[in-house]
Amino acid sequence: MGAAMTAERRPFAASLRTRLRAAFLTAVPLSRVRALQVIVHVMVILDVLTFSRDVLAHAGNAAFYRPVALARLLHLPAVTPGLAAMLLAVILLGSAVVIAGGRLDGMLKRVLRGRRDSRRASARAVRVTGVVVAVAYWVWMLYSNSYGYVAHDHMALLVAVAVLPTVRLPLSDARAGAEAPVGPAADAATEPESEAGGWALRCVQIAVVSTYFFSIIPKILYTGSLAAWGNSAILTWASIRRGSPIAHWLVENAPWVFVPAQWAGLAIEALSPVVLFLRGKALYVSIALYLGFHLSTLLLLGIHFLPTVVCWAAFLPLERISIPRRSSNIPRRGVRETS
Amino acid sequence: MPAATSLRPASAAWRVLAVLACLGLLLTGGLTRSNDLFPFGVLDQFSYGTPPDGEVVSTCLRGVRDGEEPFEIRFGQRTVGIERSDVENSLPAIEADPTLLAPLAAHYDRRHAEEPPLDALILCQEVTSLHDGAADGEPELVEVTRWERP
């Protein structure tokens, strides 16, 4: 009987493994991961210089320091001007190195003078730098969110910087070094794919979707039901507090528009996990819908959610984007894995 | 077919478990209404549904200089060195200890070195009443607390 049960369990375990692999580890082209890595690190630079720049000012607000759990776990003291400047420098320089990618190859070739494989060394340097940026950026964001207000638009970006360095990337692509064929012209037979890359992209996708889906929990807990939230005056409240001239005009002349808009927002949040299973045109239409949602909140309330918006790129076939080459006489080569 | 690099079972396992752990944290943060688990805390922006006949409270700052009318000071890194939302999340602490407003006044004075320093900084609220989901009349200005230069 025991043997029969074991035999039954085996197909179940195998089926579970197959399903989990399909859900989290579907292989994707490495050039897609590399493209997302560049986009994410450009966003990180933009973020620390604009949206989360408050860390520099917080150095003068030590009395407001209320460290979140992870900051307490790491025993982070209140940020000082020197520490903020050092973190900013590490993030900016590190992100620049990650974005430069394969361009390091030429530099390392000159430094190493053939003693080691410069391509492998530059790929490793970029990966290690990615880890350093991830740590520095997480600490930066812990500081940004430990002085009272906690932002809700950075989860996907934080996940992205954390998971992307786990992928071993070859850097001989057009974005990194302008050598290899990527995009529609690339030879599919030479385009390597990786399950680790697929996992990293899936993590970013899940984080993006979770940003919407998990926001319905507090709406139920705070108001009693989704219907109570949908029929409330929350958009009137937001428009009066921080609305644009368009929002103030709506409050004055057409406040009835807010309740249907709130129900539309609820539908977008509650149905967000469906996007994880869409492909092709349906996926692109859905992404356009969510970006349209953010455009409307930007126009009405000045809320852009750009760190999340950028991470929607994880759903796109970025390897198809062709980047102009630096020189037309550069020979094309296939992409090789570094390890 | 393109060459696909497969993960070993152990590598695949920790990756799947990491995703499930993060989702578990996010669920815990949501159910306990805690921002403490940032970045996996509660996603509660605009979650408090305002009653259609309730009120909208908007925190504000007003500066006071000797011989002048109180004037509005906007929140922000370039004015008082902190955003409105940070101050709103620390309101009970500021009410208990108004000297927490001193760094904001100091930041404002540094930014306006050509003008006399502030004699007082008032933390206030603009309260707008709602009727049937629409603004009902002009907002009322309420003083919450004030810091005065010693």
Side-chain angles (χ1 to χ4, degrees):
Chain A
M1 186 166 168
M5 280 181 69
T6 307
E8 274 174 22
R9 271 184 204 146
R10 270 186 203 139
F12 173 75
S15 164
L16 183 65
R17 270 200 300 273
T18 307
R19 282 170 188 268
L20 284 174
R21 273 195 181 269
F24 297 109
L25 302 167
T26 302
V28 299
L30 283 170
S31 52
R32 183 183 302 185
V33 182
R34 171 64 188 151
L36 184 69
Q37 188 182 45
V38 172
I39 291 169
V40 161
H41 284 84
V42 168
M43 182 64 230
V44 166
I45 290 175
L46 180 67
D47 185 48
V48 295
L49 292 178
T50 55
F51 315 130
S52 67
R53 190 184 157 84
D54 58 352
V55 176
L56 296 169
H58 283 328
N61 298 324
F64 284 80
Y65 187 48
R66 304 279 183 275
V68 293
L70 188 52
R72 293 197 304 276
L73 195 69
L74 297 171
H75 297 284
L76 291 181
V79 69
T80 60
L83 179 56
M86 189 192 75
L87 284 170
L88 183 63
V90 169
I91 294 167
L92 292 177
L93 284 173
S95 295
V97 167
V98 172
I99 292 165
R103 289 186 171 86
L104 289 174
D105 195 24
M107 287 166 52
L108 283 172
K109 237 176 216 163
R110 285 193 290 277
V111 173
L112 296 172
R113 291 175 188 163
R115 277 175 290 177
R116 287 172 62 190
D117 181 351
S118 65
R119 190 175 298 275
R120 183 178 290 247
S122 62
R124 190 168 296 158
V126 168
R127 196 173 175 206
V128 170
T129 308
V131 174
V132 172
V133 170
V135 172
Y137 184 61
W138 270 66
V139 171
W140 179 271
M141 288 310 300
L142 288 176
Y143 277 133
S144 180
N145 291 277
S146 287
Y147 285 80
Y149 176 69
V150 177
H152 301 119
D153 57 350
H154 278 74
M155 181 169 65
L157 190 63
L158 281 162
V159 167
V161 295
V163 298
L164 287 170
T166 64
V167 188
R168 289 182 181 177
L169 288 170
L171 291 172
S172 53
D173 63 30
R175 278 163 287 275
E179 287 191 13
V182 293
D187 179 355
T190 62
E191 185 82 12
E193 295 189 340
S194 127
E195 284 187 342
W199 173 77
L201 260 63
R202 200 58 164 165
C203 285
V204 182
Q205 292 171 354
I206 291 170
V208 167
V209 163
S210 298
T211 302
Y212 306 93
F213 185 70
F214 280 85
S215 73
I216 63 177
I217 294 175
K219 287 185 175 71
I220 296 170
L221 294 179
Y222 290 139
T223 64
S225 70
L226 283 181
W229 189 90
N231 293 324
S232 75
I234 187 68
L235 281 180
T236 307
W237 176 86
S239 298
I240 289 173
R241 276 171 55 90
R242 56 173 304 157
S244 67
I246 305 170
H248 284 292
W249 185 88
L250 288 172
V251 171
E252 292 282 322
N253 299 287
W256 52 266
V257 80
F258 291 131
V259 167
Q262 286 161 197
W263 278 101
L266 276 183
I268 278 177
E269 289 170 350
L271 295 173
S272 56
V274 175
V275 181
L276 292 170
F277 305 98
L278 298 178
R279 298 288 179 272
K281 276 185 185 171
L283 174 63
Y284 302 145
V285 168
S286 298
I287 292 173
L289 180 71
Y290 282 86
L291 298 189
F293 168 70
H294 288 300
L295 182 63
S296 63
T297 61
L298 176 65
L299 292 175
L300 289 173
L301 304 172
I303 296 172
H304 50 74
F305 254 63
L306 197 58
T308 305
V309 166
V310 162
C311 290
W312 274 101
F315 287 88
L316 300 173
L318 300 171
E319 70 279 12
R320 292 185 196 164
I321 300 170
S322 56
I323 305 292
R325 288 164 191 286
R326 284 184 298 175
S327 169
S328 59
N329 58 6
I330 292 174
R332 289 183 161 194
R333 284 215 303 259
V335 181
R336 285 189 293 113
E337 284 240 58
T338 54
S339 54
Chain B
M1 283 289 288
T5 312
S6 295
L7 289 167
R8 291 176 190 159
S11 295
W14 78 253
R15 281 172 166 85
V16 172
L17 288 175
V19 173
L20 297 177
C22 289
L23 289 174
L25 276 177
L26 202 49
L27 185 63
T28 305
L31 292 175
T32 58
R33 310 181 196 188
S34 172
N35 265 316
D36 204 32
L37 295 175
F38 174 85
F40 301 112
V42 62
L43 299 161
D44 62 355
Q45 194 174 32
F46 300 112
S47 289
Y48 302 88
T50 302
D53 293 319
E55 54 187 29
V56 180
V57 178
S58 189
T59 305
C60 53
L61 280 176
R62 290 171 78 79
V64 178
R65 286 198 189 103
D66 196 26
E68 289 182 27
E69 285 289 307
F71 57 96
E72 185 185 350
I73 295 177
R74 297 178 73 85
F75 286 99
Q77 296 162 41
R78 293 182 179 178
T79 51
V80 292
I82 197 163
E83 300 292 343
R84 179 174 66 176
S85 43
D86 287 317
V87 170
E88 286 184 325
N89 281 298
S90 303
L91 271 182
I94 297 171
E95 280 190 86
D97 179 13
T99 61
L100 287 174
L101 292 173
L104 281 66
H107 196 102
Y108 184 83
D109 287 338
R110 276 199 302 277
R111 287 271 176 180
H112 299 80
E114 72 287 355
E115 296 173 21
L118 295 173
D119 292 310
L121 185 62
I122 300 171
L123 184 67
C124 50
Q125 289 179 329
E126 286 181 357
V127 183
T128 307
S129 296
L130 299 180
H131 177 67
D132 209 12
D136 187 23
E138 292 298 308
E140 181 190 356
L141 193 67
V142 178
E143 180 174 325
V144 176
T145 188
R146 70 165 60 198
W147 164 86
E148 291 186 338
R149 183 173 297 283

